[in-house]
Amino acid sequence: MGMDKQESVKKLFTAQSAKVDTNRGDAYYEALYAKCQERLDALKKLTPLNNRRDFMTTIEDEGLERRDFLKWASATTAMLMLPASFTPLVAEAATLMNRVPVIWIELSDCAGNSEALLRSDGPKIDEIILDIISLEFHETLQAASGHQAEKQMEEAMEHFKGKYLLFVEGAVPLGMDGQFGTIGAKGETFVDHLHRAAEGAAAVVAVGSCATYGGIPAAAPNPTDAVGVMDVVKGKPIINIPACPANPSNMVGVILHFVLTGSIPELDSLLRPKFAFGYRIHDNCERRAHFDAGEYVEEWGDEGAKNNFCLYKMGCKGPMTFNNCSIIRYNEGVNWPIGVGRGCIGCSEPDFWDKYAYERPMANANIKAPTGGVEKTVDQFGLGLLTAAGIGIGIHAAASAIAGKKEHEKEEA
Amino acid sequence: MPEINEQAEAQTSGGGTTTAATGGKKHIIVDPITRIEGHLRIEAVIDENNKIVDAWSSSTMFRGIETILKGRDPRDCGLMAMRICGVCTGTHYQRSIEAVEDAFGITIPKNARIVRNLIQGSLYLHDHLVHFYHLHALDFVDVVAATKADPAKTAEEAAKWAHVAGVEPYIGSAGDFKMIQDRIVKFVKEGRLGIFGNGYWGNPHYKLTPEQNLIGVAHYLKALDIQREMSKMHAIFGGKSPHPQSIVVGGVTCVQDIKNPARIALFKELLTLSRDFVKRAYLPDIYMAGTMYADEATDGSATFHASDHKGAMGKAVGGTGGGILSYMSYGDFRLDDTGFYNSELLFPSGLVLDGDISKVHEVDPNKITEDVTHSWYKGSGAPEHPYDGTTIPEYTGLEKKEDGYAYLKTDEKYSWIKSPLYDGKKVEVGPLARMVVGYVKGDKRIKKYVDNFLTRANLPITVLFSTVGRTAARAIETELMSDVMLEWVDELAANAASGDLSTWTEFDFDTVAADTKGMGLAEAPRGSLGHWVKIKDGKVTNYQAVVPSTWNAGPRGPNGEVGAYEAAVIGTVVADPQQPLEIIRTVHSFDPCIACAVHVVDTKGKELATYKVDPTCAF
């Protein structure tokens, strides 16, 4: 690399954001608006699946004013990258969400995304909505066990064939004929369980980094040959909501979008909704001014740390990571990893455990492939070894290489 | 009325293991066990009187996280180890970091110690509350029966149990109960039951009155709000919840949250609000359930007996769900800054063995071993200490029978969980173990909370050695924690105000990481948790975690020693063999966390590549 290292880093991190262009033009929005309205009218004619009372009454019982509700609807509209004129439609979609049946299955997981769902950040109302959607199967929360649980799922899959959203949490272990994970009295493997559940789904939502890219079980040397949902399920719309765990606001956003439009949101090359993953952490970071000023934390707890300086030198991977956490944060906005002085570990990016999740900047990481398993990931892994000067190229190369690979695979399949 | 499940019918008459073939015995498979973390299966054999005479616990998932940790920088292991579990989130994180700090010989600053206690304390509150209401309560509370309650009587009932606890009820008015009931009535009558669908509603082993059921349902819903507030506490100093991010080898990163009085004030406000719910809803509910289920909790005839099972103990001092009656706590929550294993602890360490509550034995970490006789790993022939454990996965599968079901091969290997032993014995870990060890050891604070509970409930101490007792101990611990955390947050505020903003202890990585080993032994919400790490030239060469649910959910030991879940289930009478209500109630009382419990330690796991899936199967 001929360019001065410091200079090239500076250039990369101060460049215009790779954020997607959110404005699609008036004609587009007018057409979409009409489509949404039509969809909501059709939904209104259906009998509620699950709801026991008027939605607004429920909200008021929970101590929320209609004003608060509209405030939430307006914030959510913005989050979904829609013009403000869509706010009434979003509000209406929320009241109709009880008509979307959701089946949530868990594979090689830690239940972190289920826990995130419970904490449902953003406005308090998220929780109410999630209480009101028709959650047909969710192992961590449902009352029934054993045969009764299996029957509950089979019955829901039959009853809502072609209409339910399937949420998948956890990676899919393919090694040893899939036997690293089994479920049910017949000992069905996770991969068979996933295929069966996906067959009748309207769309499949992979939630969390394990379900999207394999996550921690797929970190080198990937002992169980774990992969993400998109590597297994074909012929269905797939939406990836990565991060460890996924932000519950993004889960709600996807459901809302589905109710609103009857279709899945616009996705990037990694099948992530652009409304959530169109932002680079670094571009919206509250510590960005310190980066621009060259003010860094040099070691944990130093004067820089006490003054909220930039965490890049402590290994923050905000410049490489696309997610909306710098905007919506976590746990009702209480905090986030950069806010707490640690920095970003790139958890919404593919293979982040092997590429990003360490306490040093990439340039001086000196990381080597952990024990075994290098061969099959060597092309992706090579990216992690690039010096800082090559990072920008690396990111784009990675994104396009992976996207290209996926396209190629689809054609072959 | 729940439908009779034809599958279950076929199942229970389908036979199974050696015992199932005789007389009127039936073999039950419960898979998946829901309302837990992870993938767990329980199989049980019941006799002609519907009494469980044998049981096996099996985990059906394997990820291999310890294998993944090998070769990494020890400073990065905490974040990865945390992904062992998203429920007891942050607890593996801290243990991993502490194992490395132990290896490096680092003592963290006072601020870091208090902040870590507050992060773990918040997790205890959140985890215990969510466990009781959202993962366990439906084993005691019949949601459908709540529709028959009289709201006015419900208010009286709520007041009655709150007064037993010495407080006013959290929800006190008939009008409030009526509103909640209307919501449930409409839900049950008109809609699909969603997550409540196909439950065991109407089972005769639900023992609460309709009014008591309504109280339970009302608090279930309210607790959904409260747990969110508790998770905010977790996030203030942790950055986010689940999976916080502020703990590093040497200390914590959240110095700006420590020095900001507004952050500390917010933490205190959320703690106060959470504590109020714990004292005015959670505790009264435990008094109520404890009293209503006291008969079975003190029914000595339903206890696991040693004579039937080689190697197990068995003084029948407890009741239904009592189990092996040996308890262990590593101890946790350092209360001073004298160094890693020298501090005074909130929860003392110790062992109480064989139901003998007259003495406590000291814990010697060298006596901890793991055995794989009944686990899907190749063994070296003898149980091994975690530092030196070498394990090779050896999956032998389930036995598919003509009835279409797959059964555990219980005479051979039958679980991904290993079988940990202390000095060759099976022990139980968790809140009950902590309370029993602390009580017998004479810890003043624990004794005060336990005695207060038993006096107010008017129940003997033996009530603790049961399913209900395990659940009560968790509530007692939650109250204790919510009180002591108020002291800690004041201590943090005072220390920061005094000008001490130190949050990290410096170390020279290349020197301390040259060749060393360390362990992080402490208490997760579910019980004793240990991480062991060996480091050479700055890299991890061996890593192992022995976690609470490994102790509790593990299969038989090398000489047939029965695991804690297995023993706790044996002896229980089920009302309806097709509804595993009593089995899941007892298993839930341990708060299973199965993703935690499964692991492997050796890179030889790569040999599994020989099983590599045919590419055509991967589509």
Side-chain angles (χ1 to χ4, degrees):
Chain A
M1 304 282 168
M3 215 191 294
D4 177 68
K5 202 164 150 184
Q6 280 302 112
E7 265 311 297
S8 64
V9 170
K10 194 91 182 169
K11 196 174 163 192
L12 166 69
F13 294 154
T14 51
Q16 275 293 308
S17 168
K19 191 162 100 176
V20 288
D21 182 11
T22 59
N23 191 347
R24 312 283 301 271
D26 290 349
Y28 173 85
Y29 289 117
E30 274 163 31
L32 184 67
Y33 195 92
K35 190 180 156 200
C36 293
Q37 222 162 17
E38 204 177 302
R39 157 107 180 146
L40 294 179
D41 286 344
L43 281 176
K44 264 188 280 186
K45 290 187 193 117
L46 300 172
T47 317
L49 276 182
N50 183 25
N51 201 2
R52 34 288 190 192
R53 58 209 257 117
D54 176 66
F55 184 79
M56 284 317 297
T57 320
T58 307
I59 291 168
E60 280 151 20
D61 286 354
E62 295 291 330
L64 287 160
E65 302 287 330
R66 184 161 178 86
R67 200 162 42 91
D68 295 330
F69 174 60
L70 288 175
K71 223 160 90 187
W72 169 82
S74 144
T76 305
T77 307
M79 192 188 89
L80 289 170
M81 292 184 173
L82 294 169
S85 59
F86 277 67
T87 303
L89 289 186
V90 169
E92 202 174 341
T95 69
L96 290 169
M97 270 177 63
N98 59 343
R99 294 193 170 95
V100 177
V102 172
I103 290 176
W104 179 300
I105 61 171
E106 294 177 52
L107 306 175
S108 286
D109 74 321
C110 75
N113 295 284
S114 291
E115 283 280 337
L117 179 76
L118 268 186
R119 286 152 172 85
S120 195
D121 77 322
K124 247 180 119 179
I125 192 149
D126 289 5
E127 188 62 41
I128 303 160
I129 289 164
L130 290 160
D131 181 32
I132 292 169
I133 61 165
S134 194
L135 192 53
E136 294 291 326
F137 183 86
H138 190 297
E139 277 182 69
T140 305
L141 293 175
Q142 75 187 120
S145 275
H147 294 290
Q148 285 83 3
E150 292 193 85
K151 196 179 173 196
Q152 171 84 0
M153 177 162 156
E154 278 159 23
E155 198 267 340
M157 289 195 308
E158 183 58 35
H159 196 263
F160 301 112
K161 200 167 181 162
K163 293 177 183 151
Y164 61 86
L165 282 178
L166 176 69
F167 276 71
V168 184
E169 175 175 13
V172 195
L174 294 179
M176 202 170 66
D177 288 332
Q179 294 179 104
F180 282 116
T182 65
I183 186 168
K186 292 181 180 171
E188 183 176 41
T189 62
F190 285 174
V191 60
D192 288 344
H193 187 60
L194 171 62
H195 279 303
R196 196 161 58 89
E199 203 185 338
V204 182
V205 184
V207 59
S209 290
C210 294
T212 51
Y213 317 120
I216 189 98
N222 194 353
T224 61
D225 278 318
V227 297
V229 171
M230 64 181 172
D231 292 324
V232 172
V233 174
K234 304 290 172 187
K236 286 277 170 197
I238 292 174
I239 305 156
N240 283 333
I241 313 180
C244 188
N247 198 315
S249 292
N250 294 336
M251 303 181 202
V252 175
V254 166
I255 299 174
L256 254 180
H257 192 282
F258 182 75
V259 177
L260 191 60
T261 64
S263 59
I264 62 175
E266 195 184 349
L267 307 177
D268 68 8
S269 62
L270 294 169
L271 307 183
R272 304 180 295 195
K274 286 188 181 173
F275 73 75
F277 299 92
Y279 307 93
R280 193 165 67 149
I281 302 277
H282 185 63
D283 298 326
N284 297 288
C285 180
E286 64 208 16
R287 300 187 182 209
R288 174 61 185 264
H290 293 293
F291 175 87
D292 293 340
E295 295 170 335
Y296 298 105
V297 177
E298 305 277 351
E299 67 177 30
W300 302 122
D302 68 5
E303 281 308 306
K306 285 171 193 153
N307 289 292
N308 295 332
F309 282 5
C310 174
L311 292 158
Y312 175 70
K313 289 190 175 178
M314 301 309 289
C316 179
K317 304 303 185 298
M320 298 82 176
T321 307
F322 291 82
N323 200 346
N324 55 359
C325 16
S326 47
I327 302 162
I328 59 175
R329 300 158 58 113
Y330 288 89
N331 303 90
E332 299 176 47
V334 159
N335 216 338
W336 68 302
I338 289 175
V340 84
R342 174 56 185 265
C344 166
I345 59 169
C347 75
S348 57
E349 297 300 320
D351 304 324
F352 74 97
W353 288 116
D354 293 334
K355 292 202 307 203
Y356 296 142
Y358 42 83
E359 275 187 22
R360 281 79 55 202
M362 269 178 118
N364 23 343
N366 192 27
I367 53 168
K368 289 202 181 89
T371 40
V374 186
E375 300 77 19
K376 63 180 177 186
T377 57
V378 74
D379 55 341
Q380 290 115 312
F381 210 86
L383 298 171
L385 295 170
L386 291 172
T387 60
I391 288 167
I393 304 160
I395 295 165
H396 293 294
S400 45
I402 291 164
K405 206 174 153 200
K406 291 269 172 281
E407 283 307 314
H408 189 59
E409 277 167 5
K410 266 180 206 157
E411 278 162 27
E412 277 188 344
Chain B
M1 264 298 288
E3 286 179 63
I4 299 295
N5 188 331
E6 282 171 19
Q7 278 189 359
E9 178 70 54
Q11 186 68 45
T12 49
S13 55
T17 65
T18 46
T19 42
T22 57
K25 286 177 181 170
K26 291 173 181 170
H27 192 116
I28 301 175
I29 301 174
V30 191
D31 184 351
I33 298 274
T34 58
R35 279 182 281 130
I36 62 164
E37 195 300 315
H39 298 272
L40 177 69
R41 160 186 286 227
I42 299 287
E43 291 191 19
V45 171
I46 57 173
D47 68 10
E48 57 281 359
N49 301 317
N50 286 350
K51 188 173 185 140
I52 296 171
V53 293
D54 216 339
W56 299 271
S57 161
S58 168
S59 165
T60 58
M61 180 185 85
F62 168 85
R63 290 180 297 171
I65 289 182
E66 290 151 313
T67 308
I68 293 165
L69 289 172
K70 281 194 168 189
R72 310 251 174 195
D73 187 314
R75 292 170 292 186
D76 301 331
C77 286
L79 289 171
M80 301 191 86
M82 174 157 54
R83 270 64 185 189
I84 289 173
C85 183
V87 177
C88 40
T89 173
T91 198
H92 288 284
Y93 182 26
Q94 188 169 323
R95 299 326 159 204
S96 177
I97 298 265
E98 284 168 355
V100 174
E101 285 166 350
D102 182 41
F104 290 178
I106 297 170
T107 301
I108 60 171
K110 182 173 185 172
N111 283 326
R113 173 184 61 81
I114 302 171
V115 161
R116 287 184 186 184
N117 280 354
L118 290 174
I119 292 176
Q120 290 298 322
S122 306
L123 173 68
Y124 267 64
L125 299 187
H126 183 273
D127 213 26
H128 285 357
L129 189 86
V130 168
H131 173 261
F132 179 66
Y133 284 104
H134 308 120
L135 306 183
H136 194 23
L138 300 181
D139 305 329
F140 298 101
V141 174
D142 184 331
V143 176
V144 174
T147 59
K148 300 185 194 88
D150 175 333
K153 283 188 189 157
T154 306
E156 287 169 25
E157 189 73 15
K160 177 176 135 191
W161 295 109
H163 293 156
V164 170
V167 291
E168 289 305 312
Y170 197 84
I171 300 175
S173 86
D176 286 345
F177 282 115
K178 177 82 171 63
M179 229 159 66
I180 293 158
Q181 189 187 33
D182 284 349
R183 196 173 170 190
I184 303 298
V185 167
K186 221 166 173 201
F187 179 81
V188 170
K189 271 189 186 163
E190 292 176 12
R192 296 182 59 82
L193 288 179
I195 55 167
F196 302 119
N198 240 358
Y200 309 114
W201 321 127
N203 186 297
H205 279 184
Y206 278 120
K207 293 182 177 169
L208 303 185
T209 66
E211 286 74 23
Q212 292 169 340
N213 283 313
L214 182 53
I215 295 169
V217 172
H219 289 165
Y220 175 104
L221 295 172
K222 191 64 203 171
L224 279 174
D225 282 339
I226 302 295
Q227 61 89 23
R228 206 169 41 228
E229 305 297 337
M230 290 169 167
S231 78
K232 282 197 254 177
M233 288 161 59
H234 203 212
I236 287 174
F237 295 120
K240 67 187 173 78
S241 173
H243 295 338
Q245 210 155 307
S246 62
I247 303 173
V248 289
V249 172
V252 294
T253 64
C254 53
V255 59
Q256 63 285 65
D257 296 297
I258 295 169
K259 70 173 202 173
N260 183 349
R263 300 295 274 171
I264 292 181
L266 175 62
F267 188 95
K268 202 167 175 179
E269 183 191 322
L270 294 167
L271 174 59
T272 305
L273 176 160
S274 304
R275 185 167 165 265
D276 188 47
F277 187 80
V278 167
K279 287 180 184 286
R280 291 168 57 208
Y282 187 7
L283 262 299
D285 286 354
I286 295 295
Y287 285 114
M288 179 173 88
T291 306
M292 299 306 287
Y293 286 85
D295 284 354
E296 67 171 62
T298 51
D299 176 8
S301 75
T303 311
F304 171 71
H305 287 283
S307 55
D308 304 332
H309 294 275
K310 196 179 162 195
M313 311 87 191
K315 290 180 189 172
V317 299
T320 302
I324 53 179
L325 305 176
S326 287
Y327 303 94
M328 181 175 75
S329 164
Y330 292 155
D332 202 4
F333 289 98
R334 281 178 275 163
L335 300 176
D336 59 55
D337 299 284
T338 51
F340 204 67
Y341 289 113
N342 306 320
S343 305
E344 192 198 334
L345 299 171
L346 178 69
F347 300 133
S349 72
L351 288 136
V352 169
L353 298 172
D354 305 341
D356 179 0
I357 55 171
S358 70
K359 58 175 177 284
V360 174
H361 307 262
E362 287 306 311
V363 175
D364 174 0
N366 294 318
K367 291 183 176 171
I368 297 162
T369 56
E370 286 194 297
D371 175 74
V372 296
T373 307
H374 293 284
S375 311
W376 284 313
Y377 307 99
K378 245 178 233 171
S380 62
E384 292 164 336
H385 188 270
Y387 268 137
D388 306 309
T390 56
T391 311
I392 307 163
E394 185 182 58
Y395 185 67
T396 51
L398 307 177
E399 186 181 1
K400 303 237 179 192
K401 295 210 173 172
E402 282 172 8
D403 59 13
Y405 298 104
Y407 293 80
L408 298 175
K409 297 175 188 169
T410 54
D411 293 338
E412 309 168 18
K413 293 176 183 294
Y414 63 91
S415 181
W416 283 116
I417 301 179
K418 299 208 279 186
S419 177
L421 300 161
Y422 181 85
D423 201 13
K425 277 175 186 293
K426 287 275 191 183
V427 294
E428 175 181 335
V429 298
L432 174 58
R434 286 191 285 265
M435 292 302 107
V436 169
V437 167
Y439 192 92
V440 177
K441 212 168 180 177
D443 181 272
K444 277 187 190 144
R445 188 169 350 218
I446 290 175
K447 211 163 178 314
K448 186 182 98 183
Y449 282 86
V450 173
D451 282 338
N452 179 49
F453 178 85
L454 294 172
T455 310
R456 286 180 181 277
N458 194 24
L459 289 167
I461 189 163
T462 52
V463 78
L464 291 176
F465 306 108
S466 68
T467 295
V468 170
R470 210 170 277 120
T471 299
R474 188 173 291 106
I476 295 168
E477 181 174 275
T478 311
E479 185 185 21
L480 184 158
M481 186 60 79
S482 74
D483 287 344
V484 78
M485 281 174 74
L486 273 179
E487 298 171 23
W488 292 343
V489 74
D490 285 342
E491 192 186 357
L492 180 67
N495 193 53
S498 78
D500 175 11
L501 289 179
S502 167
T503 51
W504 188 67
T505 302
E506 197 177 352
F507 55 91
D508 177 27
F509 180 74
D510 292 339
T511 310
V512 293
D515 187 5
T516 183
K517 62 180 184 178
M519 59 183 181
L521 295 191
E523 289 289 311
R526 284 162 188 76
S528 305
L529 170 62
H531 282 230
W532 284 261
V533 63
K534 276 186 172 174
I535 298 161
K536 190 147 177 49
D537 300 330
K539 286 202 173 91
V540 172
T541 56
N542 202 11
Y543 199 100
Q544 188 168 19
V546 181
V547 317
S549 296
T550 312
W551 288 101
N552 291 338
R556 301 284 200 274
N559 301 308
E561 297 89 344
V562 179
Y565 287 5
E566 297 176 333
V569 165
I570 292 170
T572 303
V573 175
V574 300
D576 176 354
Q578 294 182 28
Q579 297 192 337
L581 176 65
E582 301 83 353
I583 295 175
I584 61 172
R585 180 186 291 155
T586 290
V587 171
H588 281 158
S589 72
F590 287 92
D591 194 2
C593 194
I594 303 305
C596 291
V598 180
H599 55 87
V600 66
V601 295
D602 200 276
T603 50
K604 285 174 187 165
K606 272 310 279 178
E607 286 173 10
L608 289 166
T610 54
Y611 293 96
K612 206 149 192 147
V613 70
D614 181 335
T616 54
C617 296
F619 295 78

